[in-house]
Amino acid sequence: MTDEELHHFEDASLLCEPHIHNEGRPITTLNVVDFYKEVAPTLQETLWLCLWQSQNETCVALFNPILSEEGICYTFNMLDRGEIFTNEVYHNKEFQKVNEDSKGWNLENGYEDSENLYSFPKRALTAGAKAGLTIVIKSFIQHQDFICRGPVQGFKVSLHNPGEIPRVGNQFFRAPLNQEIIVAIKPDMITTSSGLKDYDPHRRGCYFAKERQLRYFKEYTQQNCDIECQTNITYSLCGCVSFYMPHGESTPICGSGSNRCVTDAQLKMVSDTSGNFSCDCLPACTTLTYNAETSQAEFNWRDVFIAFNADPDEFPGIQITRLRFLFKEMQFLTSERHELYGMVDFMANVGGLLGLFVGFSFISIIEPFYFLTLRLWVNLKKYGRHYWSASEELLENDTYHHP
């Protein structure tokens, strides 16, 4: 290989399993992202058809490129990088302002009162397939590689809230080739009562949005905190960060020669018991996750081509997958953290118990002594003489009658 080809090979190996190639430069350059953008399939080459709420939309208008541990991915309905990251994060020119402006939307407070139903982030107006998102994705057999990522081919899909960076390599479901997948989504939202704001976050078990400021992210979420923590640990142990991690323009980027160190840093984060790499990434007090139920069937796209008098071999080696995303139900239930016993509840319970015990002590306990002592003595003094006199009279006047 030439030096340029060798550098490209090392950069490409960063997208593969860590054991594939551990040799090479320990530090690479920011040009690695430009290289990925150059060799990756474009959005037009990947997404063939996009429908949003049963309306034809250009995929370019709905999807935007994002950098992940899997390389270049495409995301729908995610906040712009400028609304997610702070000014300390270097923005590659390929990922500059590409999304719509959310005009102040955040997970804790939602949309502004002045926003209408068609504001950004986009929202489905009802449940069911007609109000959802449908995409047709294509791939080619000649583009598949069975060494870099192993024997399973297809697409990885990750569901996340608009303010989070997706962890495509960690949390995903797979969309196989030549299949149609129906994804029925049911949100799971947890909020926190404002009455808990005076509690310590560790006692409460979560952080409110403004309670903890991250270095690289404008809004706190547990996943954003984990990413930042992983970045800090990697930089501390390896002297560099992975290409997909948030970083400054002058921060060194780990090359293939640092693969072992980067893997060790990931293990340190989850297995450290000494407290040296404590992340303290509690959940956010308002969290939104998506539970997905998937079903799939054979996607007979070749028969469809033939039915429309089109040649299915017009695109040699093409593989097509269709995905339908829809909300399963019209409503969903939220859970709320709140205090089990507040100060008012505590005082009310203490007052009730004190009232019970005070009443029992001074009334119920004294009454038996009263009836057995003072009341008995008064009755004997008041009625005792007449009782005995009457008894003696009855005995003197008593006569017995015999048959």
Side-chain angles (χ1 to χ4, degrees), residues 66 74-79 84 158-168 171 223 288-290:
I66 182 177
Y74 297 99
T75 178
F76 168 77
N77 219 28
M78 180 177 166
L79 297 186
I84 295 178
S158 178
L159 300 175
H160 62 98
N161 82 61
E164 280 187 339
I165 299 298
R167 301 295 299 273
V168 183
Q171 298 170 333
Q223 185 154 292
L288 177 63
T289 56
Y290 298 98

Side-chain angles (χ1 to χ4, degrees), residues 27 114 130 159 202 242 252 255 289 381:
I27 304 296
S114 59
K130 292 184 178 180
L159 300 175
H202 293 86
S242 296
T289 56
K381 184 177 180 181

